[in-house]
Amino acid sequence: MLIYRWEGAAPEPRPGLSSGHIPNSVPAPFLDYLAPPSDDKPYTSFKEPAKLKAVLVKAVGGKDVWDEMVKGDKNAVFTCGSGMTAAVGWLANEVVRPEEGSKVKTSIYDEVSSRSPDTGRVY
C-alpha cells in the first residue's frame, strides 16, 4: 500500500485530492529507514547511519547525484500528506547530514494535487 498511493494506483483518502505524486519526486517509504524488531530491540528503530545513508543515496538517484547534492549545498525536501512520513525521512537525513539541514513540507502535495487542470491554480 505504501508505494501505491505515490504511484496513484491507490485512491487518495482525502476528499477532493487527486492521487499520485509531485512531478520529479521519488518515493522513499518510511519503512526503508527502519530496522526490524529483534531479540535485542523488540521494537523498530532507525537503521545505523551507514545504512540510512544508503537509503537516502538510493532515493536521490545514486551516489553521483548524492555527491553533487552534498557538494552543491543542496538540501533534501521531504513531503507527504500529513507530515508523519516526511518526518521519518527528515530525521534520517539529519542523522546522516546533521550540519546540512533539510526541510519538511507537509502541504505541498495537497497544493499540487488540488490544482485546477485548466488553470494550474490551486482551487
Side-chain angles (χ1 to χ4, degrees):
M1 179 69 169
L2 294 174
I3 199 78
Y4 296 122
R5 281 188 57 204
W6 184 86
E7 291 174 338
E12 172 58 47
R14 295 168 293 171
L17 298 178
S18 60
S19 61
H21 62 276
I22 299 166
N24 300 313
S25 66
V26 294
F30 75 91
L31 290 176
D32 290 355
Y33 302 104
L34 302 178
S38 66
D39 290 338
D40 295 337
K41 293 181 182 178
Y43 48 84
T44 58
S45 59
F46 270 124
K47 293 177 178 177
E48 61 189 59
K51 290 182 180 181
L52 286 176
K53 182 177 178 181
V55 170
L56 291 164
V57 167
K58 179 181 176 188
V60 300
K63 185 173 179 345
D64 291 341
V65 176
W66 175 265
D67 290 345
E68 284 299 314
M69 189 175 91
V70 172
K71 278 191 235 173
D73 269 345
K74 293 183 180 177
N75 291 322
V77 177
F78 298 88
T79 66
C80 71
S82 67
M84 296 305 293
T85 299
V88 174
W90 170 82
L91 186 55
N93 189 65
E94 291 296 302
V95 168
V96 173
R97 297 177 62 197
E99 69 286 347
E100 304 299 326
S102 55
K103 308 286 185 248
V104 174
K105 179 79 170 144
T106 60
S107 65
I108 195 166
Y109 183 72
D110 296 345
E111 294 164 13
V112 170
S113 66
S114 64
R115 291 183 185 272
S116 163
D118 300 324
T119 65
R121 293 192 178 128
V122 175
Y123 293 115

